[in-house]
Amino acid sequence: MHARSGDRKAEPDRCRTYHETNTETETMGKIILTGDRPTGRLHLGHYVGSLRRRVELQNSGQFEKIFIMIADAQALTDNADNPEKVRQNIIEVALDYLSAGLDPRKSTLFIQSQVPELCELAFYYMNLVTVQRLQRNPTVKAEITLRGFAEGAVEGDTAQRPGIPVGFFTYPISQASDITAFKATTVPAGEDQEPMIEQTREIVHKFNSVYGPTLVEPEILLPDNAACMRLPGTDGKAKMSKSLGNCIYLSDTADEVKKKVMGMYTDPDHLRVEDPGKVEGNTVFTYLDAFCREEHFAKYLPDYASLDELKAHYRRGGLGDVKVKRLLIAVLNEVLDPIRERRHYYEGRIEEVYKVLEAGSAKAREAAAATLAEVRNAMRINYFEDKELIAEQARHYAARQ
């Protein structure tokens, strides 16, 4: 079960999902694979949903290997007509990764398209999945709607994009190749990705059943805080999305954060300060659930001892939205200030950032190539390496001479 942040005492992180351990036995063989599509700068939804936790897990000593992927090939599945958008955002995502605290000495940061073995794995996995199974994937359905794809769209219809690209439709298979190529045991992700991980497990099971034990079955690692499962947009919509323009970005300035928070959706019925207000569904309080800790009150709002006290006052009336928003602005800027500082540092060292990605991509390709070799061996398509096959057939045809 996932506990609400208000039910617990102050913690180092309100989205922690693991228990610290330093035992070498538990570390060995545990591998993380996760990543993001480079279609824009990363925002707070990415941060609480996965990015902050990646940094914690990276520093926990729990994992033997950590692979962080910039999924440019996947981004092209719905941006094929605008590759420059993807190209320019590679550096934006890399800067956000490094600024948030991902360390190339501990995590392998790489670009998906620079590991061609992933495409070959996906090609083989396609034979293990039916069209009907892909059509039943709820995440695929949701993403098709979000991207505006429609089979029945007519020419000139600006509200819908005609047809569903095959690459986009099959991206659960591509994602399975990404995960299995690195033998990932753990995939940190939001709840909306659970159907995708389940499909990966199905592919692993089918492959191993047909060809013998080869692939590793992954598990999803979800946030244990409801506010961190999916942070809503500033407009109160269910998902923070670049396309909806309701994001607070990790690279936003303090003034930009202030402007966005002051315009944030709250309780539409809380018209006057003295009116009782609703905390549930109130975006400002959802963000406080995700970011605020008890020590923030002594620093920024000493009239209250905890978030629970603040919520109670808001519910009974007498607490205005502006006061609550000012607290959130202070908390968010405290979180984002060190990220901004690190980003400024790396923005002055872009060539070094690309060298990090190049080295990481080479390391990732080496790991993926090893898995691909095992897959080829299991499928018996390792013709040139199978000396026994060559010798057997040589003897067979020699006997017929």
Side-chain angles (χ1 to χ4, degrees):
M1 298 295 291
H2 303 299
R4 293 179 63 85
S5 60
D7 298 332
R8 297 180 295 174
K9 299 297 182 183
E11 301 173 321
D13 190 293
R14 305 189 73 85
C15 300
R16 172 160 284 172
T17 58
Y18 65 90
H19 302 286
E20 292 186 3
T21 176
N22 291 317
T23 60
E24 184 176 349
T25 302
E26 293 187 4
T27 299
M28 293 302 294
K30 294 178 68 174
I31 299 171
I32 283 178
L33 182 282
T34 187
D36 299 280
R37 290 159 43 99
T39 54
R41 295 173 294 157
L42 300 185
H43 51 63
L44 290 181
H46 295 113
Y47 185 68
V48 300
S50 183
L51 186 52
R52 175 168 60 182
R53 188 173 30 156
R54 294 175 199 172
V55 176
E56 291 182 347
L57 295 173
Q58 165 193 269
N59 297 331
S60 71
Q62 282 196 358
F63 294 88
E64 182 183 356
K65 299 175 184 176
I66 299 176
F67 294 93
I68 313 290
M69 179 178 71
I70 300 179
D72 62 327
Q74 191 178 109
L76 286 169
T77 62
D78 61 317
N79 289 281
D81 57 347
N82 190 10
E84 193 62 23
K85 172 184 176 182
V86 177
R87 179 181 177 84
Q88 293 298 329
N89 279 305
I90 293 286
I91 192 65
E92 293 290 347
V93 173
L95 287 169
D96 284 332
Y97 280 172
L98 295 169
S99 302
L102 288 176
D103 186 344
R105 296 169 299 180
K106 300 178 181 179
S107 298
T108 301
L109 310 182
F110 71 99
I111 302 174
Q112 183 184 28
S113 66
Q114 304 307 297
V115 186
E117 289 79 5
L118 300 177
C119 293
E120 186 172 343
L121 284 171
F123 183 76
Y124 298 143
Y125 295 168
M126 286 181 185
N127 299 320
L128 307 177
V129 183
T130 65
V131 171
Q132 291 78 12
R133 177 63 184 90
L134 287 174
Q135 289 173 328
R136 293 198 305 271
N137 189 311
T139 303
V140 173
K141 291 180 181 179
E143 291 293 333
I144 286 172
T145 301
L146 179 65
R147 311 294 173 192
F149 291 123
E151 291 289 1
V154 297
E155 188 174 349
D157 184 352
T158 58
Q160 294 181 314
R161 302 165 72 175
I164 303 168
V166 172
F168 187 84
F169 182 64
T170 60
Y171 86 85
I173 301 174
S174 171
Q175 191 164 327
S177 75
D178 299 333
I179 294 168
T180 58
F182 304 102
K183 299 182 183 272
T185 59
T186 307
V187 181
E191 62 180 348
D192 60 322
Q193 292 299 306
E194 283 191 279
M196 307 294 285
I197 308 305
E198 179 59 32
Q199 187 134 37
T200 296
R201 286 196 288 265
E202 289 176 12
I203 290 172
V204 169
H205 179 74
K206 183 69 177 290
F207 187 97
N208 290 344
S209 297
V210 174
Y211 301 112
T214 308
L215 303 176
V216 175
E217 191 169 308
E219 295 294 334
I220 191 170
L221 184 62
L222 294 167
D224 68 348
N225 179 319
C228 299
M229 294 286 271
R230 178 175 290 190
L231 200 67
T234 55
D235 55 1
K237 294 189 182 298
K239 185 175 183 179
M240 187 176 286
S241 169
K242 307 177 190 79
S243 60
L244 297 175
N246 59 1
C247 301
I248 296 177
Y249 295 99
L250 299 183
S251 54
D252 277 349
T253 65
D255 286 341
E256 287 170 329
V257 170
K258 179 180 179 181
K259 181 179 180 180
K260 290 179 179 181
V261 172
M262 292 307 292
M264 192 175 277
Y265 178 87
T266 56
D267 175 7
D269 297 323
H270 188 243
L271 303 177
R272 299 172 301 177
V273 172
E274 59 267 27
D275 291 338
K278 293 179 181 177
V279 169
E280 297 73 16
N282 187 320
T283 305
V284 176
F285 280 100
T286 301
Y287 277 58
L288 287 172
D289 277 333
F291 290 99
C292 191
R293 301 190 299 271
E294 287 187 6
E295 56 262 35
H296 285 138
F297 287 91
K299 189 183 298 186
Y300 302 121
L301 204 59
D303 291 343
Y304 301 88
S306 67
L307 186 55
D308 286 340
E309 279 192 19
L310 189 72
K311 288 180 178 180
H313 191 178
Y314 190 83
R315 286 189 176 108
R316 67 177 179 264
L319 177 59
D321 288 325
V322 171
K323 191 171 186 176
V324 181
K325 287 180 176 180
R326 284 175 178 162
L327 170 63
L328 178 58
I329 290 167
V331 169
L332 289 181
N333 280 324
E334 180 179 301
V335 170
L336 293 175
D337 277 343
I339 295 176
R340 294 184 187 116
E341 184 177 349
R342 286 191 292 265
R343 195 178 220 275
H344 179 72
Y345 172 86
Y346 285 112
E347 283 177 346
R349 294 163 174 80
I350 295 299
E351 291 182 356
E352 291 181 22
V353 175
Y354 271 102
K355 287 179 180 178
V356 165
L357 295 177
E358 184 177 12
S361 297
K363 184 176 180 180
R365 186 171 186 186
E366 182 180 351
T371 299
L372 178 59
E374 293 177 9
V375 165
R376 285 176 171 174
N377 289 342
M379 295 178 68
R380 308 292 286 168
I381 57 175
N382 58 333
Y383 310 112
F384 306 131
E385 292 81 18
D386 193 342
K387 304 305 179 185
E388 184 179 338
L389 169 70
I390 296 171
E392 177 187 344
Q393 292 183 344
R395 289 191 299 269
H396 170 75
Y397 284 99
R400 297 175 59 182
Q401 295 280 324

